[in-house]
Amino acid sequence: MQIRDLPYSDPGDPDVRSGPRFLFWLGRNQLGGQLKSLSWGLLHQLAIAGLPVTVGLAVQAVIDRSGGRLALAGGLIVALGVLIAVGDTMLHRTAVTNWITAAARVQQLLARKTAELGSALTRRVAAGEVVAVSTGDVEKIGWFVEALSRFAAAATALVVICVGLAVYLPSLGLMVALAMPVLALAVLPLLPRATRRADEQREKAGKATELASDTVAGLRVLRGIGGEELFLGRYRRASQEVRRAAVRSARMWALISAVQVLLPGILLISLVWYGATLARDGRIDVGQLVTVYSAATLMLFPLRHFEEIAMAYSFSRPSAQRAVRVLSLHRSAQEATVEGVTPTGDLYDPATGLMAPRGQFTAVVCGDPDEAGRLADRLGGHAETGEEDEKAAAAAPSVLLGGVALDEIPLDAARAAVLVQDKDPVLLSGTLRELLDVPSSGLVTADAALEAAQCADVLSALAQASADNDGDPMRTRITERGRSLSGGQRQRLALARSLVTDPEALVLDEPTSAVDSHTEARVAAGIAKLRQGRTTVAFASSPLLLDAADRVVLVHEGTVVAVGNHRDLLRTEPRYRAVVTRETDDEADTVNGVGDVPALKSDDVPAMKSIEEIEERA
């Protein structure tokens, strides 16, 4: 894989059983790149290892006053210099390629998982953690993949050098060969503590990133309620905890570095003392001493890779574990079994008994907003399941569209058939035209969707927002997440985007919660008109929207308990009335005849004004 070939056509199916298994899977899937990097690394390391031999030949040639051997040694040094330069250049090139391609693979996997889960992702994992995984954690995972081949080359070179020295000069070579494993493994007792401290630092840094991300996302609200300083104080404390954890981690790594300097220094001092004694006694030549000493000195360079791979693993393992936590989430416990099917028909949830007939506008009332959000996700096939609850997910019945289970059709077909607009939809940065340029049936124009969502005032504001758009609101850029717009404006633009898509079934979770009552009445009428003949489900408790629906369903404690139109349910169903009118328990008791006031008859409850009457008054 070359960088120019990115992105991958298929990033693969990762092993998400654990962080280390995920790292091994990444390395195995880049075996070709790893072997290239290993080959160039061996060339680089062995060329460096050859320098002591040529230097020893040169020194001995000077002592023996042999010009021919000195010229030969000089030529070998030049040749080794060329090999070192080529090997180092290509090693860096292939290692960085491994780094970038591994990071790109992880980012593609995360992007694919995000697209698969949709809004359910941030309900299972904090948004800040997803950001941390896709930025800093991806870089650390790539670092380990990149360092792996260089470590393998360094370890191989050390073995070759130790064997060569033992054969070349056993008296000193065996001393070096026996000392090298001690030098390489001396830091192992310190690694568990260093790893724990690094994990603690990464965990605290991840939490600080989550806090910062959430604070920035809600900055406007925090300023409105005067909570900005409170959250900034929390972030200051979190950042100080990260700093202290980083210092503790750095102390351990400094100790490891000190050990890797101290022990080789002791080896070199012992080698020089013992080698000088042998040379003085005439048992070895000076050139041989220079060769062995130079080789031992240069071996300190590949030894550094042992420290680097330990650091890379300790930093990448928790990062890989966080990536696994995201990648192990699943859309559902079942696999798609029906190919080439785009179902049509009634939308039915067997778990609750909720039925949304084809071509009708169905409003759903839930007393618990969280229950409404979970049910909306279920209707779209966004099952919030992970490996820890796959058995429960397998036992839960799938939502049916036209009698076909959404879990049994391919993901893209399910998304095209049923679109769920979350309670807090996100607007991506870009122009309004780009915002509305989404996959659609082509039957609903952008102008029609904007009109149905009552976006006239939004278009006027956007037309005046920038001098670069020539008065065309469609060319005005919308900031990230639509932060330059009010909550009601963002909500209506998101609704227009959903209406443009024109899916077979559209599920809206509180689509008018951020607009005033007059606008809400017009939006409800616009949805009913534009979606005529298409299946629409709206989770709401507003009488204005409920009155515009063809049928209303009351869901209580996860089960459908009443079905009818808004006015009938308001008169006959106390639980429905309690949710819609926000009456207290005492008021409900009074209405039902429990208190001192006589119970009201159904005819005594005034009907809600129609949308037409409200529009006339507006």
Side-chain angles (χ1 to χ4, degrees):
M1 170 62 70
Q2 299 294 324
I3 295 177
R4 62 174 176 267
D5 298 325
L6 294 175
Y8 291 94
S9 57
D10 179 12
D13 186 17
D15 187 344
V16 294
R17 289 176 290 178
S18 66
R21 287 178 182 272
F22 179 66
L23 292 174
F24 176 75
W25 177 84
L26 280 176
R28 187 183 63 197
N29 276 268
Q30 294 188 210
L31 189 58
Q34 295 286 354
L35 290 177
K36 287 182 181 178
S37 185
L38 175 61
S39 300
W40 290 114
L42 284 174
L43 175 64
H44 174 62
Q45 297 283 356
L46 294 179
I48 292 177
L51 286 176
V53 178
T54 56
V55 170
L57 290 175
V59 171
Q60 193 62 42
V62 171
I63 294 175
D64 296 340
R65 298 181 180 277
S66 173
R69 281 189 292 160
L70 182 61
L72 175 62
L76 291 175
I77 291 175
V78 172
L80 290 174
V82 172
L83 292 178
I84 291 172
V86 173
D88 192 23
T89 300
M90 296 305 299
L91 172 62
H92 178 75
R93 181 184 181 92
T94 53
V96 171
T97 299
N98 289 337
W99 186 341
I100 294 176
T101 51
R105 186 187 297 273
V106 177
Q107 286 181 326
Q108 278 190 253
L109 291 170
L110 291 171
R112 185 175 70 182
K113 183 60 63 175
T114 301
E116 175 186 340
L117 295 176
S119 61
L121 175 63
T122 52
R123 290 192 178 94
R124 297 297 307 278
V125 182
E129 183 172 354
V130 177
V131 173
V133 171
S134 60
T135 53
D137 287 335
V138 165
E139 182 178 347
K140 291 176 178 61
I141 292 172
W143 176 28
F144 174 76
V145 174
E146 175 260 344
L148 192 59
S149 56
R150 291 192 289 107
F151 164 73
T156 304
L158 282 176
V159 173
V160 172
I161 294 171
C162 288
V163 172
L165 288 178
V167 174
Y168 173 71
L169 190 63
S171 56
L172 291 179
L174 288 175
M175 177 180 177
V176 175
L178 293 175
M180 278 302 149
V182 177
L183 298 183
L185 303 177
V187 298
L188 285 183
L190 301 176
L191 286 180
R193 181 177 297 180
T195 301
R196 285 196 300 271
R197 292 189 179 185
D199 290 350
E200 180 183 356
Q201 177 196 353
R202 303 301 340 149
E203 181 181 357
K204 291 183 180 297
K207 290 181 178 179
T209 302
E210 294 173 23
L211 181 59
S213 177
D214 295 340
T215 301
V216 171
L219 194 57
R220 168 179 281 184
V221 177
L222 291 175
R223 286 174 175 170
I225 63 176
E228 182 179 3
E229 285 300 322
L230 174 63
F231 274 78
L232 288 178
R234 291 180 181 177
Y235 180 73
R236 291 190 189 99
R237 290 191 294 272
S239 64
Q240 289 302 311
E241 291 181 3
V242 174
R243 180 187 63 80
R244 287 190 289 270
V247 170
R248 283 170 49 84
S249 179
R251 286 173 179 168
M252 284 304 304
W253 291 112
L255 178 60
I256 291 175
S257 298
V259 169
Q260 290 198 324
V261 171
L262 176 64
L263 295 183
I266 294 175
L267 171 64
L268 292 179
I269 292 174
S270 302
L271 186 65
V272 170
W273 177 81
Y274 183 58
T277 300
L278 294 178
R280 184 190 59 190
D281 296 340
R283 297 166 60 184
I284 62 172
D285 295 330
V286 175
Q288 291 177 318
L289 174 61
V290 171
T291 298
V292 176
Y293 175 79
S294 300
T297 302
L298 291 177
M299 287 172 73
L300 301 183
F301 174 69
L303 270 178
R304 282 290 179 181
H305 289 284
F306 284 79
E307 177 188 359
E308 182 189 10
I309 195 64
M311 291 184 65
Y313 179 73
S314 66
F315 278 87
S316 64
R317 187 177 61 83
S319 295
Q321 193 61 47
R322 279 194 292 272
V324 163
R325 190 157 57 242
V326 175
L327 295 176
S328 62
L329 301 175
H330 296 292
R331 173 197 171 203
S332 68
Q334 301 176 7
E335 299 293 333
T337 57
V338 180
E339 299 292 339
V341 174
T342 303
T344 60
D346 299 338
L347 185 63
Y348 175 65
D349 177 25
T352 60
L354 173 61
M355 168 70 77
R358 182 183 183 186
Q360 292 191 22
F361 183 6
T362 302
V364 182
V365 176
C366 292
D368 182 1
D370 293 334
E371 180 185 1
R374 290 191 295 269
L375 182 52
D377 284 337
R378 270 189 54 79
L379 291 179
H382 297 265
E384 299 180 33
T385 60
E387 288 187 348
E388 69 280 2
D389 56 358
E390 289 220 357
K391 292 183 179 179
S398 172
V399 171
L400 306 178
L401 180 61
V404 178
L406 291 182
D407 284 348
E408 296 179 358
I409 64 175
L411 181 61
D412 54 353
R415 293 291 180 267
V418 183
L419 173 65
V420 178
Q421 178 176 302
D422 192 34
K423 184 181 303 182
D424 185 22
V426 175
L427 301 182
L428 302 179
S429 58
T431 65
L432 180 56
R433 179 174 287 108
E434 292 170 341
L435 175 70
L436 299 178
D437 184 16
V438 294
S440 65
S441 66
L443 300 178
V444 177
T445 64
D447 292 338
L450 290 168
E451 181 181 357
Q454 300 299 311
C455 295
D457 62 317
V458 185
L459 296 178
S460 299
L462 291 176
Q464 301 172 12
S466 175
D468 301 332
N469 59 8
D470 297 328
D472 183 4
M474 302 298 289
R475 295 175 54 190
T476 303
R477 293 194 65 81
I478 299 174
T479 57
E480 183 183 2
R481 300 181 69 90
R483 291 195 177 100
S484 59
L485 304 172
S486 68
Q489 290 174 330
R490 287 197 302 270
Q491 193 174 58
R492 281 177 285 160
L493 285 180
L495 176 59
R497 179 179 59 186
S498 299
L499 293 174
V500 165
T501 304
D502 190 35
E504 173 66 24
L506 176 61
V507 180
L508 305 171
D509 189 5
E510 295 288 354
T512 58
S513 59
V515 300
D516 59 82
S517 58
H518 302 298
T519 304
E520 183 178 25
R522 292 192 290 267
V523 169
I527 294 174
K529 180 180 178 181
L530 189 65
R531 291 287 299 174
Q532 189 171 7
R534 307 288 269 173
T535 305
T536 307
V537 180
F539 287 81
S541 58
S542 168
L544 296 172
L545 192 145
L546 296 173
D547 197 41
D550 298 321
R551 65 200 301 270
V552 180
V553 179
L554 174 63
V555 177
H556 180 68
E557 295 182 353
T559 305
V560 172
V561 295
V563 179
N565 62 54
H566 166 61
R567 301 185 186 188
D568 290 341
L569 290 176
L570 193 65
R571 293 187 179 96
T572 61
E573 178 54 60
R575 289 171 294 188
Y576 178 83
R577 184 170 55 247
V579 175
V580 174
T581 63
R582 278 80 167 177
E583 65 185 12
T584 64
D585 292 339
D586 291 339
E587 292 170 337
D589 291 341
T590 299
V591 171
N592 290 312
V594 176
D596 296 332
V597 180
L600 295 178
K601 299 179 181 179
S602 61
D603 293 338
D604 295 328
V605 181
M608 301 300 297
K609 294 183 180 297
S610 66
I611 292 177
E612 292 79 5
E613 292 174 314
I614 294 175
E615 287 183 325
E616 289 176 2
R617 294 188 61 182

